[in-house]
């Protein structure tokens, strides 16, 4: 009898930059993650599978709700999802503030595939 296949951890990418939404899924799927992408925090909040998300890759600065505002809204709604922030603004004080607010990591764009995969492994406890 075959072993049941374990579900792949779901990683959601929320970024208004289409190049990020197009480039990250192939990398993440190649290493065994299931992936969903969203162009805005508002679009993400309409997703009915939020409870099943293993990790969020979240842009800091987006039109409408920002990444940090989305993180606070999810916490307010009782969703404790590990967050890896990504940002084009390489300001260390922003990074320190986000880490202090509970982010697993904050990567400055452009980041390497290795840096992202390392952050996701940390967020998922070594998955």
């Amino acid at each position: 009898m075959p072993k049941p296949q374990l579900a792949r951890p779901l990683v959601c990418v929320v970024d208004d930059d289409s190049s990020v939404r197009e480039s990250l899924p192939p990398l993440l799927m190649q290493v065994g993650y299931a992936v969903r992408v969203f162009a805005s925090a508002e679009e993400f909040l309409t997703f009915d599978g939020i409870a099943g998300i293993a990790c969020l890759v979240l842009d800091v600065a987006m039109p409408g709700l920002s990444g940090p505002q989305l993180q606070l809204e999810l916490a307010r709604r009782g969703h404790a999802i590990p967050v890896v922030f990504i940002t084009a603004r390489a300001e260390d004080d922003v990074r320190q503030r986000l880490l202090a607010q509970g982010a697993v990591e904050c990567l400055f764009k452009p980041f390497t595939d290795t840096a992202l995969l390392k952050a996701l492994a940390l967020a998922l406890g070594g998955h």
Side-chain angles (χ1 to χ4, degrees):
M1 189 156 146
K3 284 185 176 180
Q5 188 174 5
L6 296 175
R8 297 182 307 156
L10 176 59
V11 174
C12 289
V13 177
V14 184
D15 197 317
D16 60 312
D17 183 340
S18 62
S19 67
V20 172
R21 292 193 313 273
E22 291 166 8
S23 65
L24 292 187
L27 167 69
L28 298 176
M29 289 186 288
Q30 182 180 6
V31 295
Y33 296 113
V35 182
R36 291 284 305 257
V37 296
F38 302 88
S40 69
E42 292 81 0
E43 180 187 347
F44 172 78
L45 287 171
T46 67
F47 178 49
D48 62 4
I50 289 176
I53 297 171
C55 184
L56 262 178
V57 176
L58 186 53
D59 190 16
V60 172
M62 295 182 285
L65 274 181
S66 71
Q69 289 170 323
L70 175 57
Q71 182 187 30
L72 292 172
E73 178 60 20
L74 289 169
R76 188 186 71 74
R77 294 181 183 194
H79 299 292
I81 303 168
V83 174
V84 173
F85 278 108
I86 56 177
T87 182
R89 294 181 1 209
E91 300 170 9
D92 201 52
D93 61 322
V94 171
R95 181 179 187 276
Q96 294 305 322
R97 182 171 43 84
L98 293 170
L99 294 174
Q101 291 174 356
V104 174
E105 182 58 275
C106 179
L107 303 173
F108 298 129
K109 296 176 186 176
F111 48 83
T112 65
D113 293 352
T114 303
L116 178 60
L117 296 176
K118 182 177 174 185
L120 287 174
L122 181 63
L124 298 173
H127 282 270

